[in-house]
Amino acid sequence: MARYAIGVDFGTASGRAILVDVADGRQLATAVSEYSHGVIDDVLPLDDRRIVLPPDWALQDPEDYIRVFRETVPAVLRESGVDPTDVIGLGLDFTACTMLPTKADGTPLATLPQFRANPHAWVKLWKHHAAQPDADRINAVAEATGQPWLDRYGGRISSEWFFSKALQILDEAPEIYAAADRLIEGGDWVVWRLTGVETRNACVAGYKALWSKRDGFPDANYFAALDPRLGTIVDDKMSREIALAGERAGGLSAEAADWTGLPIETAVAIANVDAHVAVPAATVVEPGRMVMIMGTSTCHMVLSVDERSVPGMCGHVQDGIIPGYVGYEAGQSCVGDHFSWFVENAVPEPYQQAARARGLDIHTLLEEKAARLRPGESGLLALDWWNGNRSVLVDAALGGLLVGATLATTPEEIYRALIEATAYGTRVIIETFETHGVPIREIVACGGLAEKSPLTLQIYADVTGRPFKLAASDQASALGSAMFGAVAAGAGAGGHATIEDASAAMARLKDRVYEPIAANREVYDVLYREYLRLHDYFGRGGNDVMKTLRALRAGARAAEFGAAESGSGATASSSTDAAAPIEA
Amino acid sequence: MARYAIGVDFGTASGRAILVDVADGRQLATAVSEYSHGVIDDVLPLDDRRIVLPPDWALQDPEDYIRVFRETVPAVLRESGVDPTDVIGLGLDFTACTMLPTKADGTPLATLPQFRANPHAWVKLWKHHAAQPDADRINAVAEATGQPWLDRYGGRISSEWFFSKALQILDEAPEIYAAADRLIEGGDWVVWRLTGVETRNACVAGYKALWSKRDGFPDANYFAALDPRLGTIVDDKMSREIALAGERAGGLSAEAADWTGLPIETAVAIANVDAHVAVPAATVVEPGRMVMIMGTSTCHMVLSVDERSVPGMCGHVQDGIIPGYVGYEAGQSCVGDHFSWFVENAVPEPYQQAARARGLDIHTLLEEKAARLRPGESGLLALDWWNGNRSVLVDAALGGLLVGATLATTPEEIYRALIEATAYGTRVIIETFETHGVPIREIVACGGLAEKSPLTLQIYADVTGRPFKLAASDQASALGSAMFGAVAAGAGAGGHATIEDASAAMARLKDRVYEPIAANREVYDVLYREYLRLHDYFGRGGNDVMKTLRALRAGARAAEFGAAESGSGATASSSTDAAAPIEA
């Protein structure tokens, strides 16, 4: 008798559900729900007031997440015609760190009238980058006090992570911090809403909140050194009970059963991180094969038996991706976003007209033209830091660079140079892993960009010198979530006993393999050496022009906001001054 | 009784005549003739064969120059209604170094059937950049043999100059070199065609052909050291008789009188360089005030009583601009061209649509948006080397750079950063002059870009900290040529005795002065320091990535042309290999 699982993948702009057969991973139906407020990075969506957000802010509305369940789960049941009682489990994955403050019963502060006009009450999305001063303080104090966990994260904590965001709330909105009974990841919050049970998943706790299986969280003295009010944050607003991927968080509540059309008590898996859950869906449950989720940004994951310190990576967590292995994560913060920026801001009209005339997506046209160029022919080299650098350098204040332009430089040459730059960024990550004892033999890619751009995969293979394969599912995260849903249900219920079993049964690769081409590798080796030299010069303090430019920009913006008198001066105002939300 | 002069200005894409009153410079008529073959940088304009030019080539058709006289002089006579017998003189100016090989009677080799399919028979335009290996050899041998004239040119000779181009002909087409009885500047050649008298003007001889009033040309031993066949080039193919600006070259020949509608024997002035002739037309006949002709590229000219060595400038020539003074020249090779490149290659469709909807030129729209930004607000910094660097570094192999881009970077921010980059380039030139004893108190700008872009002039004033004024005539070069025509005719014929007299009578400034704004200067001082640091790092050997990229590009192109097996390899083929014209 056929059994099914549902995976729900919460992305940056929308949530998506798929319904799959647990025997072979066959996908029977899929449905998407766009978040009605999307990414809130400009003005809070309020009817009665206009609250303008400073640069680098990115918020979301928690109500949008609940709507995903209400819209997509009934839709996949309808589309597939599957009897809801044959659905044995539901798993979900979420962007991370995406966190919010709630009351003790899970009510988000953003939904309470007294807090709604305060941006700090809303969900801080993973790409909210306004907590950099807080991340700087976390790093400085950790270094000064010799925190042992710092090594696990390559020596630097990101502004995107949990305590950076929590500290920003405390610094800038102490009343919100005080009113928050819980500070919780979006993924754990939606599981709470589904089951009525508050759980905390090991993956996000380990990668984003400095937790480890062996040592737990940083101690209270460290937090108190950051701010006396922060000393008891873990016991006051979080939890020390951390659950592993594949465990059962609970059963669907009556309310959630009503939202979804699934039976009460359907097994719900512990939440997971969107990127990590794709690893077993990409057939990877062992060391040596890196999974890359290539979308707006790229996430790199690899497993290892041993614990190694790899500088500048996003972190490694025992049992963090696949129970039994150390899971390593790295990231590139600007990949698909990079190409979208280019298309929106730098592709001339005749190219758009040509694409329309031929019925092509503009990316397809650019890729076609860029594919005709040989390696080195553009004469261009770029540093892929339009959105900072998330791995190895871990510095959100870095900026993009393009060098070698001439009056003959064409849009497709720049487009190709941007693709190549992200490939060099990937090679830096791979080589850093290998140098520190985490070997990477081949890459399995998934995600929208990998699906859409054969040129990108070939360039990546040529630049890294490694074969690139492609996960068969075009919804690897959602599939992975469904697999964990099947594991949460367990073999006894017709699911799977382990994620390895689920991967063996439900995950596949595509046939096409992108092998490195020797002649291209030669040229790219030369270009990569040049990339590395620029990477180190601009990224490791040889020339801090990118930071100077960012400070001048912040100063000019602050002057524009009328926030300070410092805008026209050479010394920019501090980021904190420039970053206060204003009512305008 | 009113007397008139005609000035003819030969630009890169067209020639333009103006007819002015010699008493007050009042412009009565103007006419333009576009060159029918424009800039030939792709394929030779032949009916029967397809000769493809390599990258960096730029040729012209000498017949296009003669058509300028035939079309524009009759047109200004017609338009003004002036009696041709009241026109007392004609002067002309030309791009430089723009040179061609001819027979002894002035017939261009390009017009002879046996040479027409050889690109080296055609006019090499100033921006023909394929003679870089020849320029490198000229510089290396000059340094090795301690040539005293090297200092006058800031220590480096450009690939654009006369002997670089001559040596390229000898190297790559010895049969053309042998067949050429004369190698001559375009300006001197058209004067020859007008008067039947071959003359050589001091301005171009001094700035582009290593001649000085005191020492003449480099000696034969030096030329022989470059190539034994080149030892007698000056006596064989050039002339040691050099005439000063304002002298009378001769009178119009019967043939040229027929072309133009002017009387036979109308005074024709010695040819001049387009940029230099604008100096007196911009009211500058004394030291301390720099003239900038701002167009596709920018030329900077300043006068001094003393001879000073200024490193990396285009040169200084006694009597080269205004008789009695040392004339200094510097150049920026990518200014208006830069903005045109940007508009053609990097401005997105919605901007073009918005400009059309409002009936605006796209540059006007971009300038309007860029003008709303404060200094520093773009967060961007660029090196203005899209077309290499012509002054201070003197290196055509340098490439453009943009740093600081983020996912929020807009087209107008890039546009403004490109304008600012050219302003920093100007400041480097001004400061280099001042450091070496040539003071610059204020700037008088002219040329199309100065006419069209108030934002550019304000940014230049803010960045350089000096007031920018604007020549009243929007045709400063043509006016200057007319002024020299009036001097060639002489005071006795109703013209002027000296260029100073002509300037006092005929040249004016506009009322508006662009004064530096103190608050903007502060920010630009910070940005300029960052610019200088990048300038020196990438321009003085700290990091030769731009050259590596250019070599890889040449290698890839060569491989594409099928010229060599070296394209896919890391070592690019030499520029010479990559640069051979091919019949395709």
Side-chain angles (χ1 to χ4, degrees):
Chain A
M1 191 179 61
R3 288 286 179 260
Y4 305 94
I6 290 175
V8 185
D9 168 41
F10 288 87
T12 298
S14 62
R16 169 187 304 268
I18 66 169
L19 185 150
V20 301
D21 189 321
V22 301
D24 57 7
R26 191 170 46 99
Q27 180 177 314
L28 280 81
T30 182
V32 175
S33 165
E34 304 284 336
Y35 303 150
S36 61
H37 292 126
V39 177
I40 304 163
D41 54 8
D42 186 6
V43 177
L44 278 192
L46 304 177
D47 293 332
D48 49 340
R49 297 171 69 179
R50 184 173 157 79
I51 306 289
V52 176
L53 300 175
D56 297 329
W57 277 62
L59 305 179
Q60 291 198 317
D61 181 353
E63 300 290 340
D64 280 338
Y65 305 145
I66 301 305
R67 192 174 308 109
V68 169
F69 291 123
R70 303 173 68 120
E71 291 180 0
T72 63
V73 178
V76 294
L77 289 170
R78 224 172 19 244
E79 186 191 336
S80 64
V82 161
D83 182 338
T85 61
D86 291 335
V87 176
I88 58 172
L90 181 150
L92 62 87
D93 59 272
F94 219 89
T95 62
C97 163
T98 291
M99 57 87 81
L100 68 160
T102 75
K103 300 308 291 178
D105 65 354
T107 305
L109 296 194
T111 63
L112 299 175
Q114 67 269 40
F115 300 119
R116 200 156 170 75
N118 190 324
H120 282 290
W122 293 64
V123 178
K124 286 192 166 62
L125 186 61
W126 65 273
K127 67 177 178 179
H128 174 89
H129 284 137
Q132 189 62 51
D134 306 282
D136 293 344
R137 196 151 104 234
I138 285 172
N139 283 311
V141 173
E143 249 178 74
T145 57
Q147 294 298 311
W149 43 262
L150 197 55
D151 251 15
R152 281 206 313 276
Y153 303 98
R156 292 192 77 173
I157 302 310
S158 163
S159 70
E160 292 182 3
W161 293 0
F162 192 86
F163 291 112
S164 305
K165 284 169 169 155
L167 185 55
Q168 193 195 6
I169 297 175
L170 177 61
D171 275 343
E172 299 177 14
E175 71 285 12
I176 296 289
Y177 186 82
D181 298 317
R182 319 300 290 154
L183 292 172
I184 190 164
E185 280 284 336
D188 291 329
W189 180 76
V190 292
V191 167
W192 188 2
R193 295 302 304 267
L194 287 181
T195 62
V197 183
E198 182 189 348
T199 57
R200 306 272 173 157
N201 74 84
C203 188
V204 78
Y207 285 104
K208 310 294 179 186
L210 313 184
W211 173 86
S212 84
K213 195 176 179 181
R214 198 178 52 208
D215 302 324
F217 287 101
D219 65 29
N221 292 336
Y222 169 72
F223 287 119
L226 288 174
D227 189 304
R229 296 167 293 177
L230 207 70
T232 52
I233 182 172
V234 174
D235 294 309
D236 287 355
K237 300 179 192 290
M238 301 170 65
S239 168
R240 295 190 187 274
E241 272 177 58
I242 306 293
L244 290 191
E247 288 183 18
R248 186 178 184 278
L252 270 194
S253 69
E255 183 188 28
D258 187 52
W259 294 341
T260 57
L262 292 172
I264 293 176
E265 287 303 323
T266 300
V268 176
I270 290 293
N272 216 317
V273 173
D274 53 356
H276 298 184
V277 80
V279 173
T283 76
V284 172
V285 289
E286 81 284 17
R289 299 168 66 219
M290 185 165 87
V291 174
M292 285 175 64
I293 322 270
M294 300 170 66
T296 53
S297 60
T298 290
C299 194
H300 318 67
M301 287 140 302
V302 61
L303 305 172
S304 167
V305 174
D306 311 315
E307 191 170 330
R308 306 275 183 173
S309 268
V310 187
M313 293 309 162
C314 303
H316 62 265
V317 176
Q318 178 65 45
D319 303 330
I321 296 174
I322 303 291
Y325 291 102
V326 182
Y328 296 80
E329 185 193 334
Q332 291 179 266
S333 46
C334 181
V335 185
D337 268 355
H338 209 169
F339 312 139
S340 299
W341 172 86
F342 181 73
V343 160
E344 281 162 31
N345 291 281
V347 172
E349 184 165 46
Y351 280 59
Q352 300 282 6
Q353 289 165 338
R356 273 197 300 275
R358 293 175 53 203
L360 296 179
D361 176 79
I362 182 67
H363 287 284
T364 308
L365 181 86
L366 286 166
E367 171 149 345
E368 180 185 295
K369 287 174 177 283
R372 287 195 207 111
L373 299 167
R374 293 164 180 256
E377 187 172 350
S378 72
L380 297 172
L381 184 59
L383 289 177
D384 51 321
W385 299 344
W386 262 246
N387 196 17
N389 177 297
R390 196 192 294 171
S391 277
V392 183
L393 299 173
V394 196
D395 192 339
L398 295 174
L401 179 139
L402 181 74
V403 60
T406 73
L407 293 176
T409 296
T410 61
E412 57 267 32
E413 288 174 343
I414 301 177
Y415 191 71
R416 184 169 176 125
L418 298 186
I419 295 174
E420 290 167 346
T422 64
Y424 305 138
T426 295
R427 182 165 165 182
V428 171
I429 288 170
I430 291 174
E431 293 193 347
T432 306
F433 272 124
E434 292 221 318
T435 306
H436 293 83
V438 181
I440 293 164
R441 203 171 67 244
E442 70 170 33
I443 287 92
V444 182
C446 53
L449 183 63
E451 292 284 328
K452 275 183 257 172
S453 178
L455 175 65
T456 299
L457 293 184
Q458 187 59 55
I459 288 174
Y460 275 50
D462 291 341
V463 166
T464 63
R466 284 165 178 80
F468 269 66
K469 299 178 178 175
L470 207 49
S473 170
D474 58 356
Q475 302 299 336
S477 290
L479 173 60
S481 282
M483 287 162 58
F484 278 112
V487 175
H496 295 287
T498 65
I499 190 62
E500 283 87 347
D501 289 353
S503 181
M506 298 170 73
R508 305 255 179 293
L509 292 177
K510 290 195 168 134
D511 290 337
R512 177 160 180 194
V513 176
Y514 295 82
E515 293 285 353
I517 297 166
N520 294 352
R521 283 189 67 180
E522 272 187 69
V523 180
Y524 282 131
D525 279 347
V526 177
L527 284 165
Y528 178 65
R529 282 198 297 274
E530 299 293 342
Y531 174 91
L532 267 190
R533 196 160 169 215
L534 293 172
H535 175 280
D536 289 351
Y537 179 66
F538 289 104
R540 300 193 194 274
N543 186 330
D544 280 336
V545 59
M546 292 167 182
K547 291 173 187 188
T548 304
L549 290 170
R550 201 165 277 240
L552 286 171
R553 179 182 174 91
R557 287 282 173 97
E560 200 145 299
F561 271 116
E565 295 293 281
S566 59
S568 62
T571 49
S573 63
S574 82
S575 309
T576 313
D577 287 350
I582 59 154
E583 186 158 3
Chain B
M1 189 182 59
R3 289 285 179 261
Y4 305 94
I6 290 176
V8 185
D9 167 43
F10 288 87
T12 298
S14 62
R16 168 187 306 266
I18 66 169
L19 187 149
V20 301
D21 189 320
V22 300
D24 59 5
R26 192 168 47 99
Q27 181 177 313
L28 281 81
T30 181
V32 176
S33 164
E34 304 284 335
Y35 304 150
S36 61
H37 293 126
V39 178
I40 304 164
D41 55 7
D42 185 5
V43 178
L44 278 190
L46 304 177
D47 293 332
D48 49 341
R49 298 171 70 178
R50 183 173 158 79
I51 307 288
V52 176
L53 301 175
D56 297 330
W57 277 62
L59 306 179
Q60 290 198 319
D61 181 352
E63 300 290 341
D64 280 337
Y65 305 144
I66 301 305
R67 192 175 309 108
V68 170
F69 291 122
R70 302 174 67 122
E71 292 179 0
T72 63
V73 178
V76 294
L77 289 170
R78 226 174 17 247
E79 186 191 334
S80 63
V82 161
D83 183 338
T85 60
D86 291 333
V87 175
I88 58 173
L90 181 150
L92 63 88
D93 60 273
F94 220 90
T95 63
C97 162
T98 292
M99 57 86 81
L100 68 161
T102 75
K103 299 307 292 178
D105 65 354
T107 306
L109 296 194
T111 62
L112 300 175
Q114 67 269 39
F115 299 119
R116 197 153 170 80
N118 190 324
H120 282 289
W122 292 64
V123 178
K124 286 191 168 60
L125 184 61
W126 66 273
K127 68 176 179 178
H128 174 90
H129 284 137
Q132 189 61 52
D134 307 282
D136 292 345
R137 197 152 105 233
I138 285 173
N139 284 310
V141 173
E143 246 177 77
T145 57
Q147 294 296 313
W149 43 263
L150 198 54
D151 252 13
R152 278 206 313 276
Y153 302 99
R156 294 192 76 175
I157 302 311
S158 163
S159 70
E160 292 181 4
W161 294 0
F162 193 86
F163 292 111
S164 303
K165 285 169 169 155
L167 186 54
Q168 193 196 6
I169 298 176
L170 177 61
D171 275 343
E172 299 176 16
E175 70 283 12
I176 296 290
Y177 186 83
D181 298 318
R182 318 303 289 155
L183 293 173
I184 189 164
E185 279 286 337
D188 291 330
W189 180 75
V190 292
V191 167
W192 189 3
R193 294 302 305 270
L194 286 181
T195 61
V197 184
E198 182 188 349
T199 58
R200 305 273 174 158
N201 74 84
C203 187
V204 79
Y207 285 103
K208 310 293 180 187
L210 313 183
W211 173 86
S212 83
K213 193 174 181 181
R214 196 177 52 207
D215 303 324
F217 287 101
D219 67 27
N221 291 337
Y222 169 72
F223 287 119
L226 289 175
D227 189 305
R229 297 167 293 177
L230 208 70
T232 52
I233 182 171
V234 175
D235 294 310
D236 288 355
K237 300 180 193 289
M238 299 170 66
S239 167
R240 294 191 188 275
E241 276 179 52
I242 305 293
L244 290 192
E247 288 183 19
R248 185 177 186 279
L252 269 194
S253 69
E255 184 189 27
D258 187 51
W259 293 342
T260 57
L262 292 173
I264 293 176
E265 287 302 323
T266 301
V268 176
I270 290 292
N272 216 317
V273 174
D274 53 356
H276 298 184
V277 79
V279 173
T283 76
V284 172
V285 288
E286 82 283 18
R289 299 168 66 218
M290 184 165 88
V291 174
M292 285 176 63
I293 323 272
M294 301 170 65
T296 54
S297 59
T298 290
C299 195
H300 318 66
M301 288 139 302
V302 61
L303 305 173
S304 167
V305 175
D306 310 315
E307 190 169 332
R308 306 277 183 171
S309 269
V310 187
M313 292 307 160
C314 303
H316 62 265
V317 176
Q318 178 63 46
D319 303 331
I321 295 174
I322 302 292
Y325 292 102
V326 183
Y328 295 81
E329 185 193 334
Q332 290 179 265
S333 46
C334 181
V335 185
D337 268 355
H338 209 169
F339 313 139
S340 300
W341 172 85
F342 181 73
V343 160
E344 281 161 31
N345 291 281
V347 173
E349 185 166 46
Y351 281 60
Q352 300 282 6
Q353 289 165 338
R356 272 197 300 277
R358 294 176 50 203
L360 296 179
D361 176 80
I362 181 67
H363 286 284
T364 307
L365 181 86
L366 286 167
E367 172 150 345
E368 179 185 295
K369 286 173 177 284
R372 287 195 208 113
L373 298 167
R374 291 164 181 257
E377 188 172 351
S378 72
L380 297 172
L381 184 61
L383 288 177
D384 51 322
W385 300 343
W386 263 246
N387 196 18
N389 176 297
R390 195 193 292 171
S391 278
V392 183
L393 299 173
V394 196
D395 192 339
L398 294 174
L401 179 137
L402 180 75
V403 61
T406 73
L407 293 176
T409 295
T410 61
E412 58 268 31
E413 288 174 344
I414 301 177
Y415 192 72
R416 183 167 178 130
L418 299 185
I419 295 174
E420 290 167 346
T422 64
Y424 305 136
T426 295
R427 180 164 165 183
V428 171
I429 288 170
I430 290 175
E431 293 192 348
T432 306
F433 271 125
E434 292 222 318
T435 306
H436 292 84
V438 181
I440 293 164
R441 203 172 66 243
E442 69 170 33
I443 287 94
V444 182
C446 53
L449 183 62
E451 293 283 329
K452 274 181 259 172
S453 177
L455 175 66
T456 299
L457 293 184
Q458 186 60 54
I459 289 174
Y460 274 50
D462 291 341
V463 166
T464 64
R466 284 166 177 79
F468 269 65
K469 300 179 177 175
L470 207 49
S473 170
D474 59 356
Q475 302 300 335
S477 290
L479 172 60
S481 282
M483 286 161 59
F484 277 112
V487 176
H496 295 288
T498 65
I499 190 64
E500 282 87 346
D501 289 352
S503 181
M506 300 169 74
R508 304 259 179 291
L509 292 178
K510 290 196 167 133
D511 291 335
R512 177 161 181 190
V513 176
Y514 295 82
E515 293 286 355
I517 297 167
N520 294 351
R521 284 190 67 181
E522 270 188 70
V523 179
Y524 281 131
D525 279 347
V526 177
L527 285 164
Y528 178 66
R529 282 198 296 275
E530 298 293 341
Y531 175 91
L532 268 190
R533 194 159 171 214
L534 293 171
H535 175 279
D536 289 350
Y537 179 67
F538 289 104
R540 301 196 193 271
N543 186 331
D544 280 337
V545 59
M546 292 167 182
K547 292 173 186 187
T548 304
L549 289 170
R550 201 165 276 240
L552 286 171
R553 178 182 174 92
R557 287 281 173 97
E560 200 146 299
F561 271 115
E565 296 293 281
S566 59
S568 62
T571 50
S573 63
S574 81
S575 309
T576 314
D577 286 353
I582 61 154
E583 188 158 0

